[in-house]
Amino acid sequence: VFTDWEQSKARKQTLQSIEKATSELLPAGQVDLALHLEISDQIRSKKVNAKDAMRSLKQRLNHKNPNVVMSTLDVSKVGLSG
């Protein structure tokens, strides 16, 4: 059982990790597998509401930069394959 403060902190950290993993500043095709796995673990551990994480990923899928969209799909793929 996690306190509200722990969940809030984990949520913020996960959303920042999603933005970092899907940053438009990343070179095309660069994948940080450790970060992708960390995001997946945070969601699976229920420290973070899966809806919040999915909302963030959906926003990144609508990004104008196609590299951000591809990175977002990579993050999603790691989360689904584990």
Side-chain angles (χ1 to χ4, degrees):
V1 178
F2 301 102
T3 65
D4 288 341
W5 180 81
E6 288 173 324
Q7 285 182 330
S8 176
K9 183 178 176 184
R11 178 181 179 271
K12 182 178 178 182
Q13 185 178 26
T14 301
L15 297 180
Q16 287 174 341
S17 294
I18 289 171
E19 286 195 27
K20 182 178 178 184
T22 61
S23 173
E24 56 193 71
L25 302 177
L26 287 174
Q30 181 176 337
V31 175
D32 184 349
L33 187 57
L35 184 57
H36 292 191
L37 290 171
E38 180 183 322
I39 293 166
S40 178
D41 287 345
Q42 288 174 347
I43 295 168
R44 287 172 189 242
S45 72
K46 301 193 190 268
K47 289 182 183 176
V48 176
N49 184 340
K51 286 184 181 181
D52 290 336
M54 288 307 298
R55 190 175 300 121
S56 178
L57 289 168
K58 281 174 137 180
Q59 288 174 348
R60 302 303 281 175
L61 282 173
N62 289 322
H63 201 279
K64 64 183 178 185
N65 185 329
N67 292 331
V68 172
V69 174
M70 291 304 294
S71 296
T72 304
L73 291 172
D74 287 338
V75 171
S76 299
K77 199 173 7 173
V78 168
L80 293 173
S81 66

